[in-house]
Amino acid sequence: MNIAMLGSGFIARFYATSLHAQRRIDRVTMVYSRNKDNAQRFAKDYGFQDFTDDMEVAINHSSVDVVVISLPNHLHEEAVAACAKAKKHVLCTKPLGRTAAEAKRMLDLVEEAGIFAGYLEDLCYTPKFLKSLESIKNGSLGRVLWTKSREAHPGPHSDWFWDKEKSGGGAMIDLACHCIEIGRNYIGKKVKPIEVMCWADTQVHPIEAEDHAIGLIKYANGAIGQFEVSWCFRGGMDLRDEVMGTEGTVWINNFLRTGFETFTTGGGDGYVAEKTEVNKGWLFPVGDEAHELGYPNMFTDMFSALEEKREPLETFYDGYVVNAILDAAYKSAETKLWEPVVFEDWRGEDGVTYEKHNASYDADHFLIKEEKLPNGDKKLILKHKISGELSQKVTQA
Amino acid sequence: MNIAMLGSGFIARFYATSLHAQRRIDRVTMVYSRNKDNAQRFAKDYGFQDFTDDMEVAINHSSVDVVVISLPNHLHEEAVAACAKAKKHVLCTKPLGRTAAEAKRMLDLVEEAGIFAGYLEDLCYTPKFLKSLESIKNGSLGRVLWTKSREAHPGPHSDWFWDKEKSGGGAMIDLACHCIEIGRNYIGKKVKPIEVMCWADTQVHPIEAEDHAIGLIKYANGAIGQFEVSWCFRGGMDLRDEVMGTEGTVWINNFLRTGFETFTTGGGDGYVAEKTEVNKGWLFPVGDEAHELGYPNMFTDMFSALEEKREPLETFYDGYVVNAILDAAYKSAETKLWEPVVFEDWRGEDGVTYEKHNASYDADHFLIKEEKLPNGDKKLILKHKISGELSQKVTQA
Amino acid sequence: MNIAMLGSGFIARFYATSLHAQRRIDRVTMVYSRNKDNAQRFAKDYGFQDFTDDMEVAINHSSVDVVVISLPNHLHEEAVAACAKAKKHVLCTKPLGRTAAEAKRMLDLVEEAGIFAGYLEDLCYTPKFLKSLESIKNGSLGRVLWTKSREAHPGPHSDWFWDKEKSGGGAMIDLACHCIEIGRNYIGKKVKPIEVMCWADTQVHPIEAEDHAIGLIKYANGAIGQFEVSWCFRGGMDLRDEVMGTEGTVWINNFLRTGFETFTTGGGDGYVAEKTEVNKGWLFPVGDEAHELGYPNMFTDMFSALEEKREPLETFYDGYVVNAILDAAYKSAETKLWEPVVFEDWRGEDGVTYEKHNASYDADHFLIKEEKLPNGDKKLILKHKISGELSQKVTQA
Amino acid sequence: MNIAMLGSGFIARFYATSLHAQRRIDRVTMVYSRNKDNAQRFAKDYGFQDFTDDMEVAINHSSVDVVVISLPNHLHEEAVAACAKAKKHVLCTKPLGRTAAEAKRMLDLVEEAGIFAGYLEDLCYTPKFLKSLESIKNGSLGRVLWTKSREAHPGPHSDWFWDKEKSGGGAMIDLACHCIEIGRNYIGKKVKPIEVMCWADTQVHPIEAEDHAIGLIKYANGAIGQFEVSWCFRGGMDLRDEVMGTEGTVWINNFLRTGFETFTTGGGDGYVAEKTEVNKGWLFPVGDEAHELGYPNMFTDMFSALEEKREPLETFYDGYVVNAILDAAYKSAETKLWEPVVFEDWRGEDGVTYEKHNASYDADHFLIKEEKLPNGDKKLILKHKISGELSQKVTQA
């Protein structure tokens, strides 16, 4: 397919590089930038002719099948509206909106226009994420109890990110959108997020927005989705996920510890990996950064979904849900209360029951725990079903 | 020194084994257990004569210099009172009390009696903790912004732990006492903990108490001490700490990933490590469990402090502070509000100022961020000191 | 491009899956198998029409641009000859031949026919390998002194691998071909491999060929390329590389420790990763196996090279060099001597000088070592340039 | 016990610090150094009175029970002779001698004198080593096939190490003595080492001795003990062991990856860990270096063995065996041949049979391998017992 890229910054380059790598069939053929020189440089770098500083020109170009929005957050809605008007399919970078209201308007626009709309949530497409998600859906972890997604680094690449008005917030709007959607996938997209407790602070930088935040999202089935985000982290890009289930655990490290370690006294040169802070001593490069960040899998899903007339894994509706949760998180950080997640439009399950099935040891007792002692004996912790009395029972090995 | 051990269970054995290892001079010479057979077996296993089922007899025995309390939580106060009465030095296992009120009474008892009182908070004595703490105090991380301490495993060894009345709670009283004190040490013991937000739930087990909890403690200097505790974790004993500072990061893994990895198809036998759940496939033993858990360093500090007439690193006052924070955490889990930490007796600093020193780029601008781009260029993110306007500046390499 | 696949086994499927993934433009359109049912099943699984049990039919099919040889080792030469005859471009799986003589004949065939010939050495295309190689070529490690490549697992998937006649050997011909070429790349392909010392034994399996081997290859510049290969390893697929240079170190773990760890009590199902041996306890899946093994990058290079009329990174000549080294290794394992690597056709540098540049401390002394002592003092180890006498000098901090 | 320390350098300090830590009962009470000032400073630092520059005075001092030799290698024999003459128990640092002949004379001296003699091979006392050894002896790995012990760092601390005459060699005599004894323990001390193949070179430093060496030791039961040693490694102290058995694997990392990771921009100060090369970026300290290196366990075994009138785990005879293997390694590095290990005095088993027990699949076939395919099918690789023909058999899942 032919792609018009809106935007020519860091993320647009990451996208274009991924799209043009590995002999893929889809090509960027047009770029729009607010700055014409940047547009021209981008077109030249990626080997195509058409560039413009008029967004409508890019979107409406007859050869363009799909528009990719890689613009600052405050320009997403306008771009989506232009795509809807032009009936061009659209893929929008994360976060979808700065608020749920903004995201909802974008969702309505694409649904009314009947165009394909994909939400470019790359971290829900990393190889490790996809494989772990499949394994969890297959039951390897039992019932999911808790997920933790952490994204922390020394701060974003462009000035507009640091401007609360343009980006819609700080580290939370920038990073927690990833973490929230990762947790939602593991817990189940149909399960309703109920309420959010969030701490956020501006601990280090001279900005208005938060540069560090931690949040807990409570889902209807009792599971907790935790996020930890920061622009104050030192040491590179910390991108880790964890899942606890009744039957197992997942630990994923996407960036700083991937089995690639190198030490250098300072010979060699330059670029080691995104957001690396030093270039000597022990370094932890990533083999294929774009792949570890999910870009190739994401675009494959998007274009294949479009062709196959199915929904992609990440839709504008998902983007809207994430914004609704973020709204609650921002509110909670101010009110210091658990804030409800407010949905104008909830499409998942309502009234999920949250039942625990206690394991019986015998007719009279629940089994709390069974363990093997150092000396080989087996110890059982039991609870009487009626009296509630606790007891233990040791069986000699 | 000669030691009377009160209690003969799992932790008493861990303590005694540590005390008798490595040709140490201090010896357990007397044991008390509520069950006389257990006391006798314990005495036999550790090679001494005196055992009893009368606590006062153990404490008052003429040869005993120091009493170690390894009893269930609900029996700590009574034991401390008996030591105070007998004017015998006392070391008490964690948590000190079930509540701050209980801990405060114990604190008062030992201070009034003028006896030495040590709080056996082993995880503040692990080799990694001590070394990282020293490094942080030397400034390697700059200003500490956030600490996270996580302790999670499949549940405790004895029945009384699962009984809310006896233990004072669930996973939080059992495990968060460690996490809280670890965070307090990193942030600084003089810095006042102000308020706590806590989520706790009983997600898996048929018990009244929580089996999973997450809390945030806000300190007077703006730092956050986070704890994550669970009795629902599958995979062994997850014991990890993290610290973020303005100038660096610490990651500690005390148990499951310590550079010792083994795979077995199932040959061999038995005990691999505390709380390991499986005995084939990939296993992660710990070289010297007691040492990694801090016992030898803890007892060395305690007995040396007693001889040197100085305070140990962990005192009954520290135990009291931990209980005060736990009280706030339990309250928060119920009220769903940030709850203040209430101190009857605060001995640290009051009114710590929390100032940020913004780095100037030039007379007119603050420097928000400086980074190296993939192409070698340097990019600066700046903020105008008066207008607050954000800008970026790229210097070609 | 349109591809004919010769072979329908494990590796043919891995290749085809990689070729058809991620919206790539090149497609397998024809398959040959000695067993017609297998050919048909393969064609069906990958969604194309043409299959045959006549190799010539597959190669000569008019739509076919490139032939991929995924046959057992003893059938490579015949297939290459058929491609040469048909003037069809050819990509051949590893090892190229069973011996250097066989490889040389294949090299001659393709060079005489003037067809493009690529050597499918996937492990020289893994993301980590490519990035580390670039970094080393940029000087980050200084002069390369030693490389170690290790590949060990519980044994191959197909019966013919275990048959010395068909495969050309055992674990060494199967795995060391990878290890040798990895080391050659790091050390420099122009540097001549001089001699080989190899130990090989059949330690476990009821076979004629070796199931465990270790070898040292000495290069003209004094560097050592070490390989360790085994079919006796328990615990999955151990795929690790190390490089030591005068200025740094590289450690790569391609499979068992890549930042993806999961524990399961045994819920869920099936396939975790290639050559995993267990399906409960701690497991170490790989996010995208094919990518971590280098397939996508390898095919991208091959087809791009063909279009761009340049050599691919791995050529039939490289395959021949590897076979020459393997011949020496097999001979050494028998004679127990360092055996020379014999080249009928050496295209790299001859007479590389191997000079050491000793660092001077002052006019009279070489500097052997400089180190910082625990107390902060600096210690120098010096050697007198004429007398050779060693001395040390400590400068107080 | 009261200890006389011979030597006051790096290793003497490590020993004394370990001996005086953790409230141990044994104390250094006397120190000898060739330099009286050093002796005095040492005595002062460790808090005792007696120091001397006359070795005999130290050894013969009436209060001294045990002598610890921490002298350069060329002074070991003289010191052992003096201990034998004085009938004082002796513990000698590694390597025992510079050659097997020297070690044998020391062995004879102590055996004739009837004194207790311990070989201070600390790395056979690390917590991880001891636990893994116990597990292997319990059968968790089945039959041991191969061990690899690696010790590499940027070179030793004192000038005499770099002097071939004084130390007896280079990196090999310094480091491979550890590696050899680690392998011997895993494989079994009773199993005879038969022959050695060794490569050694001076790749970097202006010295006569080797600064990099790799060796393979073949044991009577077919197992291979591999060592890799270097003074050219960059990045800290690389101390890793691996064991492959028919039923499992052990991977130990003693120093650079022990679950303690820290990043610093360069704040803080000084000493991070032994042989660390940098003090900013990612650093990998060790919690308790002395313990991870085995010193406390080693001295505990030595003094306990002396009291209990039993042999310690590491004896002078073990030191002699190690020297005999090193002799063969040095010879092999020159002759480029597998050199036999020559024993004047072999006390282990002779004529160990090396039989393989092939697993039968049925009456006619051996089972070579059983594996699970990605699609769930089970594949068996079989060998006909008489014809030797290989076949495979797939069972649908």
Side-chain angles (χ1 to χ4, degrees), chain B residues 1-257:
Chain B
M1 301 202 179
N2 291 332
I3 300 151
M5 183 70 66
L6 308 188
S8 63
F10 193 87
I11 191 63
R13 286 181 172 268
F14 239 135
Y15 285 170
T17 300
S18 298
L19 284 163
H20 287 199
Q22 303 281 18
R23 302 177 62 79
R24 300 175 74 103
I25 54 176
D26 313 300
R27 313 302 289 177
V28 181
T29 56
M30 159 67 92
V31 62
Y32 152 79
S33 172
R34 287 164 292 169
N35 175 314
K36 199 158 189 174
D37 287 348
N38 289 350
Q40 180 167 24
R41 183 174 168 190
F42 189 97
K44 180 156 167 279
D45 288 350
Y46 289 95
F48 57 84
Q49 301 295 331
D50 293 326
F51 58 92
T52 175
D53 59 359
D54 181 331
M55 193 194 289
E56 303 255 339
V57 167
I59 293 170
N60 286 293
H61 193 285
S62 61
S63 74
V64 166
D65 300 305
V66 179
V67 177
V68 171
I69 301 176
S70 311
L71 296 164
N73 300 349
H74 63 298
L75 304 175
H76 290 189
E77 185 176 2
E78 174 193 347
V80 168
C83 292
K85 190 176 150 208
K87 302 276 181 195
K88 287 289 174 83
H89 302 304
V90 62
L91 311 180
C92 183
T93 194
K94 62 87 210 171
L96 186 56
R98 288 170 295 177
T99 62
E102 197 173 63
K104 184 62 167 60
R105 289 194 299 271
M106 287 186 254
L107 175 63
D108 292 345
L109 281 166
V110 299
E111 293 191 340
E112 281 156 22
I115 55 177
F116 180 93
Y119 176 49
L120 297 178
E121 175 38 88
D122 55 292
L123 294 185
C124 292
Y125 287 99
T126 75
K128 290 168 183 166
F129 176 80
L130 290 175
K131 200 165 213 171
S132 62
L133 184 63
E134 185 191 3
S135 163
I136 288 171
K137 285 191 184 301
N138 284 339
S140 61
L141 262 58
R143 176 164 55 92
V144 172
L145 302 171
W146 171 80
T147 70
K148 199 265 295 288
S149 181
R150 175 173 174 84
E151 182 163 356
H153 58 59
H157 306 285
S158 298
D159 50 3
W160 66 264
F161 270 108
W162 300 89
D163 182 333
K164 202 174 177 173
E165 193 50 44
K166 290 180 180 159
S167 70
M172 200 146 64
I173 194 88
D174 180 26
L175 306 176
C177 57
H178 290 304
C179 303
I180 288 167
E181 188 63 356
I182 286 169
R184 248 190 100 218
N185 270 281
Y186 283 132
I187 290 167
K189 284 189 176 179
K190 292 288 182 197
V191 185
K192 196 168 186 176
I194 302 300
E195 54 181 356
V196 182
M197 165 52 65
C198 176
W199 164 83
D201 197 359
T202 311
Q203 289 190 307
V204 172
H205 301 86
I207 55 172
E208 302 308 307
E210 76 285 353
D211 56 16
H212 198 166
I214 299 166
L216 301 178
I217 302 151
K218 195 182 297 169
Y219 285 80
N221 65 355
I224 291 289
Q226 179 175 332
F227 64 79
E228 296 174 12
V229 295
S230 184
W231 286 346
C232 311
F233 180 76
R234 306 309 300 260
M237 183 147 77
D238 186 14
L239 220 55
R240 284 179 290 165
D241 302 314
E242 300 186 16
V243 190
M244 276 174 63
T246 51
E247 301 299 323
T249 298
V250 162
W251 289 346
I252 288 178
N253 195 325
N254 283 299
F255 232 70
L256 275 174
R257 297 293 182 275

Side-chain angles (χ1 to χ4, degrees), chain A residues 22-23 25-26 128 131 140 247-249 251 253 258-259 261-265 286 288 291 297 300 307, chain C residues 22-23 25-26 128 131 140 247-249 251 253 258-259 261-265 268 286 288 291 297 300 307:
Chain A
Q22 301 282 21
R23 302 176 63 78
I25 55 177
D26 313 299
K128 288 168 185 166
K131 200 164 215 172
S140 62
E247 300 298 323
T249 298
W251 289 345
N253 195 325
T258 62
E261 319 187 7
T262 181
F263 178 90
T264 174
T265 59
V286 173
D288 182 341
H291 196 54
N297 291 335
T300 294
E307 287 177 356
Chain C
Q22 302 282 18
R23 302 177 61 80
I25 54 177
D26 312 300
K128 289 168 184 166
K131 199 163 215 172
S140 61
E247 300 299 323
T249 299
W251 289 345
N253 195 325
T258 63
E261 319 187 6
T262 182
F263 178 90
T264 174
T265 58
V286 173
D288 182 342
H291 196 54
N297 291 333
T300 293
E307 286 177 357

Side-chain angles (χ1 to χ4, degrees), chain C residues 14 18 22 67 137 162 176 197 223 239 244 248-249 263 337 354:
Chain C
F14 238 136
S18 298
Q22 302 282 18
V67 178
K137 285 190 184 302
W162 300 89
M197 165 52 65
L239 221 55
M244 275 174 64
T249 299
F263 178 90
L337 301 172
Y354 170 27

Side-chain angles (χ1 to χ4, degrees), chain C residues 11-181:
Chain C
I11 191 63
R13 285 181 172 267
F14 238 136
Y15 285 171
T17 299
S18 298
L19 284 163
H20 286 200
Q22 302 282 18
R23 302 177 61 80
R24 300 174 73 102
I25 54 177
D26 312 300
R27 312 303 289 179
V28 182
T29 56
M30 160 66 92
V31 63
Y32 153 78
S33 172
R34 288 161 292 169
N35 175 313
K36 200 160 189 172
D37 288 348
N38 288 350
Q40 182 167 22
R41 185 176 169 189
F42 189 97
K44 180 155 168 281
D45 288 350
Y46 288 96
F48 56 84
Q49 300 295 329
D50 294 325
F51 58 91
T52 175
D53 59 359
D54 181 332
M55 193 194 289
E56 304 255 338
V57 168
I59 293 170
N60 287 293
H61 193 285
S62 62
S63 75
V64 166
D65 301 305
V66 179
V67 178
V68 171
I69 302 176
S70 311
L71 296 165
N73 301 348
H74 64 299
L75 304 175
H76 289 189
E77 185 175 3
E78 173 193 347
V80 169
C83 292
K85 189 175 152 209
K87 302 276 182 196
K88 287 291 173 79
H89 302 305
V90 62
L91 310 179
C92 183
T93 194
K94 63 87 211 171
L96 187 56
R98 288 170 295 177
T99 62
E102 197 173 63
K104 183 63 168 58
R105 290 195 298 271
M106 287 186 253
L107 175 63
D108 291 345
L109 281 166
V110 299
E111 292 191 340
E112 282 156 20
I115 55 176
F116 180 94
Y119 176 49
L120 298 179
E121 175 39 89
D122 56 292
L123 294 186
C124 292
Y125 287 99
T126 74
K128 289 168 184 166
F129 176 79
L130 290 175
K131 199 163 215 172
S132 62
L133 184 63
E134 186 193 2
S135 163
I136 287 172
K137 285 190 184 302
N138 284 339
S140 61
L141 262 58
R143 175 163 56 92
V144 172
L145 302 171
W146 171 81
T147 69
K148 199 265 297 286
S149 182
R150 175 175 175 82
E151 183 163 354
H153 57 60
H157 307 286
S158 299
D159 49 3
W160 66 264
F161 269 107
W162 300 89
D163 181 333
K164 203 173 175 173
E165 193 50 44
K166 289 179 181 157
S167 70
M172 199 145 67
I173 194 87
D174 180 27
L175 306 176
C177 57
H178 291 302
C179 303
I180 287 167
E181 188 63 356

Side-chain angles (χ1 to χ4, degrees), chain A residues 303-354:
Chain A
F303 293 112
S304 300
L306 181 44
E307 287 177 356
E308 297 163 9
K309 300 192 187 310
R310 62 166 172 83
E311 285 208 329
L313 296 180
E314 293 292 322
T315 66
F316 268 35
Y317 182 73
D318 293 313
Y320 160 67
V321 172
V322 169
N323 272 123
I325 294 171
L326 280 167
D327 281 1
Y330 274 108
K331 192 167 176 196
S332 170
E334 286 207 6
T335 62
K336 301 179 70 177
L337 301 171
W338 282 88
E339 290 290 345
V341 184
V342 179
F343 289 109
E344 199 181 326
D345 179 7
W346 171 246
R347 300 178 183 178
E349 293 167 357
D350 275 306
V352 173
T353 52
Y354 171 26

Side-chain angles (χ1 to χ4, degrees), chain C residues 77-354:
Chain C
E77 185 175 3
E78 173 193 347
V80 169
C83 292
K85 189 175 152 209
K87 302 276 182 196
K88 287 291 173 79
H89 302 305
V90 62
L91 310 179
C92 183
T93 194
K94 63 87 211 171
L96 187 56
R98 288 170 295 177
T99 62
E102 197 173 63
K104 183 63 168 58
R105 290 195 298 271
M106 287 186 253
L107 175 63
D108 291 345
L109 281 166
V110 299
E111 292 191 340
E112 282 156 20
I115 55 176
F116 180 94
Y119 176 49
L120 298 179
E121 175 39 89
D122 56 292
L123 294 186
C124 292
Y125 287 99
T126 74
K128 289 168 184 166
F129 176 79
L130 290 175
K131 199 163 215 172
S132 62
L133 184 63
E134 186 193 2
S135 163
I136 287 172
K137 285 190 184 302
N138 284 339
S140 61
L141 262 58
R143 175 163 56 92
V144 172
L145 302 171
W146 171 81
T147 69
K148 199 265 297 286
S149 182
R150 175 175 175 82
E151 183 163 354
H153 57 60
H157 307 286
S158 299
D159 49 3
W160 66 264
F161 269 107
W162 300 89
D163 181 333
K164 203 173 175 173
E165 193 50 44
K166 289 179 181 157
S167 70
M172 199 145 67
I173 194 87
D174 180 27
L175 306 176
C177 57
H178 291 302
C179 303
I180 287 167
E181 188 63 356
I182 287 168
R184 247 189 100 220
N185 270 281
Y186 283 131
I187 289 166
K189 284 188 176 180
K190 292 289 181 197
V191 184
K192 197 168 185 175
I194 302 301
E195 55 181 356
V196 182
M197 165 52 65
C198 176
W199 163 84
D201 197 0
T202 312
Q203 289 189 308
V204 172
H205 302 88
I207 56 172
E208 301 308 307
E210 75 285 354
D211 56 16
H212 198 166
I214 299 166
L216 301 178
I217 302 151
K218 194 183 296 171
Y219 284 81
N221 64 356
I224 292 288
Q226 179 174 332
F227 65 79
E228 296 173 11
V229 296
S230 184
W231 287 346
C232 312
F233 180 75
R234 307 308 301 260
M237 183 146 78
D238 185 14
L239 221 55
R240 285 178 290 164
D241 302 314
E242 299 186 18
V243 190
M244 275 174 64
T246 51
E247 300 299 323
T249 299
V250 162
W251 289 345
I252 288 179
N253 195 325
N254 283 299
F255 233 70
L256 275 174
R257 297 292 183 275
T258 63
F260 189 176
E261 319 187 6
T262 182
F263 178 90
T264 174
T265 58
D269 66 348
Y271 188 63
V272 178
E274 194 189 339
K275 298 191 176 70
T276 294
E277 295 195 275
V278 290
N279 57 9
K280 61 183 183 173
W282 280 103
L283 305 173
F284 298 88
V286 173
D288 182 342
E289 284 180 53
H291 196 54
E292 291 303 316
L293 292 174
Y295 298 122
N297 291 333
M298 177 175 74
F299 285 119
T300 293
D301 177 53
M302 290 293 164
F303 293 112
S304 300
L306 180 45
E307 286 177 357
E308 296 163 10
K309 300 193 187 307
R310 60 166 173 85
E311 284 208 329
L313 295 180
E314 292 293 321
T315 66
F316 268 34
Y317 182 72
D318 292 314
Y320 161 66
V321 172
V322 169
N323 272 123
I325 294 171
L326 281 168
D327 281 2
Y330 274 109
K331 192 167 175 195
S332 170
E334 287 207 6
T335 64
K336 301 180 70 175
L337 301 172
W338 283 87
E339 290 291 345
V341 184
V342 179
F343 288 109
E344 198 181 326
D345 178 7
W346 171 245
R347 300 177 183 180
E349 294 166 358
D350 276 307
V352 172
T353 53
Y354 170 27

